[in-house]
Amino acid sequence: MNRDHTCGELRKTDEGKHVKLAGWVAKRRNLGSIVFIDLRDRYGITQITFDENHSDLVKDVRNEYVIEVQGTVGVKENPNPKLATGEIEVIADSCRVLSAAKTTPMIIADETDALEDLRLKYRYLDIRRNPIKEKLLLRDKVTTIVRRVLHEDDFVEVETPILSKSTPEGARDYLVPSRLYKGRFYALPQSPQQYKQLLMIGGMDRYFQIARCFRDEDLRADRQPEFTQIDMEMSFADEEDIFAEVEKVMKAIFKETKGVEDLQFPRIRYVDAMDKYGSDKPDLRFDNPMVNVTELFKDSAFAVFKNAVEEGKAIKALVFHNACDKLSRKKFDELNEFVKVYKAKALAYLKYDKDEFSGSVNNALPQEEKLALKDFLKLENGDVVLMVADKKAVAEVALGAVRKKLGEELGLIDHNKYCFEWITEFPMYEYSEEENRWVSAHHPFTAPRDEDVDKLMSDQANCYSRAYDLVLNGYELLSGSVRIHDSQMQAKVFDALGLSKEQIRNKFGFFIEAFEYGAPPHCGVGIGLERLVMILSGTDNIKDVVAFPKTASAYCLMSDAPNYVDQDQLDFLSLEIRKD
Ligand code: ASP
């Protein structure tokens, strides 16, 4: 062994011990003929002191050299309170260079001004920095807790294939050409969805996996082409069982990594979340729900509102307390443009201050209507009301986006809080304008609500499912559902999705057949591991929590993947690259 202690280990109580340490030279300082070296490894930094009789040993040693040092632990006269080992130093009597290092292209320090591309190209150097290292350690801690808690409750960890068949999670597949079966492709799993359901049919009862998933989607700040799910499935179970299990896992993770104990898991139906917050992942670190004020304006003197009500549209209002002074005219102009992104025509606003109204609809609305609104919303001096009159869904989403934006800008969000909520009873289908048909809102193995079974084929727009999400601080942390376990019901859902018998057989034949041999009722979830670790570590960049991430254009700057392959390899696979 190159060491008998790590660089984060030695304390005052070790005074006088002769020790051997190894690590990277984080810093080197010369003080006359004495040389101080900060020696770094994963566990910390220890100061090594080479006195005048030994400084020659390190005369050629530079930053990031890997060295092995032996010496005696001494107590420092001036302790360094910033280091856990700050009370001691190792007075060296020998040093061996294990590996020399070129000058690194970036400085290895907590703060770096290195551009992200450079950090990704030299990711192994970036990982030496505490901010990245600590996130990887946190990620490991999270998966360790997950494994422990789930094993305690009889879950078994099972690995499922990576070379697999297309799964319908709604994204594009990554494909792997087969050498043995010309013209055929494996698909990398978008999730282990079908496998985990087959494990339930196989009688495994409770499954989990820290599962790699692959989706060829356009990337965003919080997405990577390959990512990890804490994937779970339970037999003879329903929403109550899976919610309880997930809550237990979350409580353990938050307690052990953050010391947070009093987590709450309220439940909100999808329709209520849209109605109150205009989002299926509302950030509940602040409340500010939207209020439906349609009824108030059905006979309005303001034609825009009156017509909207007549046309069956909705008028939604959002109140921000004590915001009159904080929201300028310019801000309202900006918000008016902002809501157009969400297809709303305009944003109306009314300020109530010093017992008077002002704002964009102040003149258009007669005093009695404004007073009625004030009563209804219980307005107080300083309050601002924002309103959108539009198709219900448009008004909800647009105003929901305003809620989120102003919540952040007005400082309403307590960034030390963790607010979870279960969103339940998602729509069964959503209409795809692109494909001109109904598609699954979650995936096609999701069970409908019992009361909506009749609507499966006839009233897709109003058919709700037993799918749920867990949301944390406005981020979707997991999705899941109670599954269909009856092959006839499954056939109906495929039918409603417009899949032909042929397509069903090709895509899911093996899966459907399995349900004919006895399938237990089952349900599950896929928890986004990266997103969870991102929230725990306070970063909004997914790359920070992935050891070797890809860029936003799915490229690995370190290894240059994807890359061209030799003609031989293409020939083996019977592939030809088109030149256009
Ligand atoms: N496979 C689903 C997903 O990736 C999760 C689940 O339904 O368990 O979203």
Side-chain angles (χ1 to χ4, degrees):
M1 279 279 257
N2 296 111
R3 64 183 177 199
D4 47 31
H5 289 81
T6 70
C7 296
E9 205 178 332
L10 296 168
R11 298 289 183 273
K12 234 174 163 172
T13 46
D14 296 302
E15 189 181 6
K17 272 191 197 160
H18 194 258
V19 295
K20 185 152 99 170
L21 302 185
W24 285 261
V25 174
K27 211 188 317 167
R28 172 200 166 109
R29 271 167 301 133
N30 289 10
L31 195 84
S33 51
I34 306 179
V35 178
F36 298 106
I37 280 183
D38 281 355
L39 195 64
R40 181 191 64 228
D41 67 8
R42 194 184 105 194
Y43 309 91
I45 286 184
T46 298
Q47 183 185 300
I48 317 287
T49 304
F50 292 86
D51 61 22
E52 46 276 290
N53 298 327
H54 297 93
S55 52
D56 250 17
L57 292 173
V58 281
K59 67 177 186 326
D60 298 326
V61 166
R62 307 264 165 276
N63 278 1
E64 301 310 318
Y65 270 45
V66 182
I67 58 173
E68 180 193 288
V69 176
Q70 300 198 45
T72 308
V73 181
V75 172
K76 283 175 76 169
E77 265 172 40
N78 303 313
N80 177 355
K82 287 193 203 132
L83 290 182
T85 59
E87 285 182 329
I88 59 100
E89 62 187 331
V90 171
I91 318 287
D93 51 46
S94 84
C95 175
R96 189 154 72 99
V97 172
L98 301 176
S99 167
K102 292 200 291 189
T103 304
T104 50
M106 57 186 275
I107 292 168
I108 315 294
D110 289 5
E111 297 290 326
T112 176
D113 55 6
L115 296 179
E116 191 176 68
D117 279 7
L118 186 80
R119 289 177 40 212
L120 293 181
K121 183 166 166 57
Y122 296 98
R123 186 61 163 179
Y124 45 90
L125 297 180
D126 205 22
I127 293 173
R128 289 186 197 167
R129 296 173 52 244
N130 281 323
I132 300 299
K133 178 192 83 184
E134 270 154 21
K135 291 183 184 70
L136 295 183
L137 295 180
L138 176 65
R139 183 175 169 140
D140 167 69
K141 198 163 178 185
V142 169
T143 51
T144 306
I145 296 167
V146 168
R147 287 195 163 99
R148 190 196 71 227
V149 174
L150 292 180
H151 278 140
E152 269 166 23
D153 285 348
D154 286 336
F155 281 77
V156 259
E157 187 167 6
V158 183
E159 287 170 76
T160 53
I162 293 295
L163 293 179
S164 102
K165 197 174 169 178
S166 184
T167 49
E169 298 285 354
R172 223 172 282 126
D173 287 322
Y174 276 101
L175 298 174
V176 180
S178 158
R179 178 176 57 85
L180 296 177
Y181 301 91
K182 258 188 208 163
R184 295 200 196 185
F185 293 82
Y186 299 100
L188 304 186
Q190 292 186 29
S191 87
Q193 186 62 38
Q194 281 153 286
Y195 292 113
K196 66 174 168 174
Q197 291 194 240
L198 291 169
L199 286 169
M200 296 302 101
I201 297 176
M204 289 307 286
D205 201 65
R206 294 178 161 207
Y207 141 98
F208 83 99
Q209 180 179 193
I210 311 292
R212 306 312 309 275
C213 306
F214 306 84
R215 298 186 190 178
D216 190 3
E217 294 181 291
D218 292 336
L219 303 182
R220 298 188 305 230
D222 61 352
R223 275 198 195 149
Q224 281 278 294
E226 54 183 306
F227 59 95
T228 303
Q229 270 184 2
I230 304 166
D231 201 41
M232 295 167 60
E233 199 74 12
M234 295 173 87
S235 288
F236 306 111
D238 61 17
E239 288 88 341
E240 295 308 322
D241 306 286
I242 190 86
F243 287 10
E245 203 58 53
V246 168
E247 288 172 18
K248 189 169 172 189
V249 169
M250 290 301 157
K251 281 181 185 163
I253 291 173
F254 278 78
K255 183 169 171 209
E256 291 172 45
T257 65
K258 291 267 138 191
V260 175
E261 298 222 33
D262 55 346
L263 297 177
Q264 304 296 318
F265 295 87
R267 298 181 191 183
I268 313 173
R269 290 185 317 151
Y270 169 86
V271 279
D272 298 328
M274 295 309 291
D275 185 52
K276 281 174 85 172
Y277 305 108
S279 167
D280 59 2
K281 40 178 181 295
D283 189 341
L284 294 190
R285 284 175 297 177
F286 66 108
D287 197 24
N288 285 62
M290 298 189 289
V291 182
N292 193 334
V293 294
T294 317
E295 273 296 297
L296 281 184
F297 295 108
K298 65 178 192 294
D299 301 315
S300 178
F302 179 32
V304 175
F305 280 6
K306 184 169 185 276
N307 294 344
V309 183
E310 269 168 16
E311 288 163 24
K313 293 178 173 167
I315 306 174
K316 291 275 192 165
L318 191 57
V319 179
F320 285 96
H321 299 301
N322 293 319
C324 277
D325 298 340
K326 295 179 196 144
L327 297 175
S328 63
R329 174 73 194 271
K330 200 164 144 245
K331 183 83 230 165
F332 290 115
D333 290 345
E334 182 197 319
L335 291 173
N336 198 42
E337 290 308 306
F338 178 73
V339 294
K340 290 181 184 157
V341 178
Y342 299 89
K343 300 201 175 89
K345 271 179 248 26
L347 179 82
Y349 75 94
L350 207 55
K351 285 182 164 183
Y352 180 67
D353 205 16
K354 306 199 179 72
D355 298 322
E356 280 186 16
F357 293 99
S358 61
S360 68
V361 286
N362 185 33
N363 292 337
L365 288 174
Q367 186 69 2
E368 65 272 17
E369 289 189 33
K370 286 182 284 192
L371 288 175
L373 184 70
K374 170 178 172 275
D375 274 359
F376 190 71
L377 297 174
K378 301 193 177 54
L379 296 184
E380 288 176 13
N381 280 313
D383 287 355
V384 173
V385 189
L386 300 160
M387 285 177 282
V388 173
D390 221 303
K391 280 188 205 139
K392 186 166 171 289
V394 172
E396 283 175 354
V397 171
L399 212 50
V402 172
R403 174 185 174 275
K404 184 165 175 236
K405 183 173 163 68
L406 287 186
E408 192 72 65
E409 290 179 7
L410 293 174
L412 304 180
I413 298 176
D414 176 349
H415 287 277
N416 295 316
K417 257 188 174 169
Y418 295 103
C419 288
F420 284 94
E421 75 263 3
W422 287 104
I423 308 288
T424 63
E425 299 179 35
F426 272 80
M428 184 79 184
Y429 307 103
E430 57 198 22
Y431 196 74
S432 160
E433 304 286 348
E434 233 172 76
E435 295 178 48
N436 228 346
R437 65 177 184 98
W438 291 99
V439 295
S440 296
H442 187 42
H443 50 59
F445 317 119
T446 300
R449 291 193 313 183
D450 289 348
E451 57 268 49
D452 290 346
V453 169
D454 293 344
K455 299 182 192 151
L456 272 180
M457 314 279 294
S458 54
D459 188 9
Q460 283 97 332
N462 290 306
C463 186
Y464 291 91
S465 72
R466 295 177 73 181
Y468 35 76
D469 279 1
L470 182 65
V471 174
L472 170 55
N473 294 353
Y475 287 97
E476 178 197 312
L477 201 58
L478 68 82
S479 288
S481 59
V482 173
R483 324 296 185 189
I484 297 170
H485 71 281
D486 169 86
S487 47
Q488 310 235 321
M489 172 88 80
Q490 187 67 71
K492 251 191 191 177
V493 170
F494 284 142
D495 226 4
L497 294 171
L499 297 178
S500 69
K501 291 233 162 15
E502 184 67 17
Q503 282 171 316
I504 299 171
R505 194 161 2 95
N506 280 344
K507 280 192 165 178
F508 311 114
F510 72 104
F511 187 64
I512 298 185
E513 190 187 358
F515 282 81
E516 288 165 5
Y517 293 103
H522 58 289
C523 56
V525 294
I527 306 172
L529 176 62
E530 284 85 3
R531 206 165 278 176
L532 178 58
V533 180
M534 279 165 73
I535 296 173
L536 289 169
S537 60
T539 177
D540 50 15
N541 186 350
I542 190 170
K543 297 188 200 86
D544 286 350
V545 301
V546 176
F548 297 103
K550 306 225 169 10
T551 63
S553 43
Y555 194 79
C556 175
L557 288 166
M558 189 180 68
S559 65
D560 282 329
N563 215 321
Y564 300 103
V565 295
D566 293 341
Q567 188 57 45
D568 279 2
Q569 284 174 287
L570 291 177
D571 292 344
F572 266 130
L573 296 167
S574 313
L575 286 182
E576 218 173 284
I577 305 294
R578 268 203 341 228
K579 293 279 177 289
D580 51 327

